[in-house]
Amino acid sequence: FGDHRDLDLSLRRQRQMCIRDSTRSIVAGLGAYLPEKILTNAELAHTVQTSDEWIIQRTGIHQRHIAADGELTSDLALAAAEQALNSAKMSGSDIDIIVLANSTHDETFPATATRVQQAIGMHRGAAFDIQAVCSGFIYSLNVADNFIRLGQAETALVIGAETFSRILDWTDRSTCVLFGDGAGAVVLRAKNSHGTKHDRGILSNHIHSDGRHHDLLYVDGGPSSTKTCLLYTSDAADEG
């Protein structure tokens, strides 16, 4: 049986070697999009029992953006994604994976991310959604970062996009004042790290959830409970 101090020293050395020769995700580009329509606190005060002062004191929110009729979550996501790609001086063909955080999908399936994938001309890799509501972008960033760290992707497009105005109860002042519509995006790319103070990129991610608090805030209408969704196939699929 060896000395515990020798074992501890060996483990520390192994960790240092891993740090020196690791791959990090660095931010290559940023993008964002907000719909043109603005709904102010004063305007909300005309429809629910609230006031500009009441909302600001409790939330700090002065206004929110609302998607136009016919403007989908994928439209917001695409606008933010294109800006992020331009910022990174990349095109859709340079991206290996798209992770889109959203709770207001265009359809139940396929993933809203696949609409963005098609629109930016990305015809390889993978595109999928993550549903973690307010923390969705952090979850998506964590997933994309792990893909890059493990060498399964060199580049990633991470997007958070919502059209929450479509699922709000605009007569409930406790919730309708909190949400709006918009999108943000980031392009990540792999970069070798040497474990020095000059390293850039995502240092670590820590995500948590506690299902015991599910009922504190939720939106009903899930297909497995309400069975309100219909399955459609294209003519091409029928012919196949």
Side-chain angles (χ1 to χ4, degrees):
F1 299 95
D3 192 317
H4 286 296
R5 289 173 296 182
D6 293 337
L7 178 60
D8 290 342
L9 179 60
S10 176
L11 290 173
R12 285 199 298 271
R13 285 174 176 168
Q14 289 179 30
R15 292 193 196 101
Q16 289 170 355
M17 290 176 64
C18 289
I19 291 173
R20 290 194 191 102
D21 300 319
S22 63
T23 299
R24 292 197 188 282
S25 304
I26 68 167
V27 175
L30 297 169
Y33 174 78
L34 292 172
E36 291 185 12
K37 182 180 178 181
I38 293 175
L39 180 63
T40 66
N41 293 343
E43 290 174 304
L44 269 179
H46 291 302
T47 58
V48 293
Q49 187 178 356
T50 189
S51 68
D52 182 51
E53 182 183 14
W54 187 91
I55 297 172
I56 292 174
Q57 283 181 346
R58 289 161 176 79
T59 69
I61 297 171
H62 292 259
Q63 62 184 34
R64 70 280 304 141
H65 291 252
I66 306 297
D69 291 342
E71 194 172 32
L72 306 180
T73 297
S74 60
D75 297 323
L76 278 58
L78 176 60
E82 289 177 334
Q83 191 178 106
L85 288 170
N86 288 335
S87 173
K89 296 180 172 54
M90 293 184 186
S91 66
S93 60
D94 297 318
I95 299 299
D96 296 325
I97 185 171
I98 298 175
V99 189
L100 171 56
N102 79 102
S103 301
T104 49
H105 321 291
D106 286 7
E107 299 102 3
T108 301
F109 71 82
T112 303
T114 60
R115 286 190 174 234
V116 177
Q117 182 185 31
Q118 187 276 332
I120 65 174
M122 174 189 167
H123 305 304
R124 60 189 178 86
F128 56 90
D129 294 353
I130 285 185
Q131 209 274 55
V133 204
C134 297
S135 55
F137 188 84
I138 300 299
Y139 273 65
S140 298
L141 195 67
N142 180 76
V143 170
D145 179 47
N146 283 333
F147 266 87
I148 289 176
R149 284 177 181 268
L150 292 173
Q152 296 178 332
E154 289 287 328
T155 57
L157 175 60
V158 181
I159 312 168
E162 297 288 5
T163 49
F164 249 84
S165 63
R166 308 271 164 79
I167 61 174
L168 292 177
D169 177 359
W170 288 101
T171 66
D172 177 15
R173 75 168 184 173
S174 65
T175 56
C176 73
V177 302
L178 299 175
F179 301 100
D181 304 330
V186 61
V187 174
L188 301 177
R189 65 178 177 85
K191 183 176 176 60
N192 291 332
S193 168
H194 302 293
T196 72
K197 65 181 181 180
H198 302 294
D199 286 348
R200 299 171 54 211
I202 299 174
L203 301 180
S204 66
N205 288 291
H206 303 275
I207 56 176
H208 307 276
S209 63
D210 189 340
R212 292 174 298 178
H213 305 298
H214 165 275
D215 292 343
L216 290 180
L217 184 66
Y218 67 94
V219 175
D220 60 7
S224 69
S225 60
T226 61
K227 302 178 183 178
T228 56
C229 297
L230 298 177
L231 177 64
Y232 296 93
T233 59
S234 67
D235 293 338
D238 291 338
E239 292 172 2

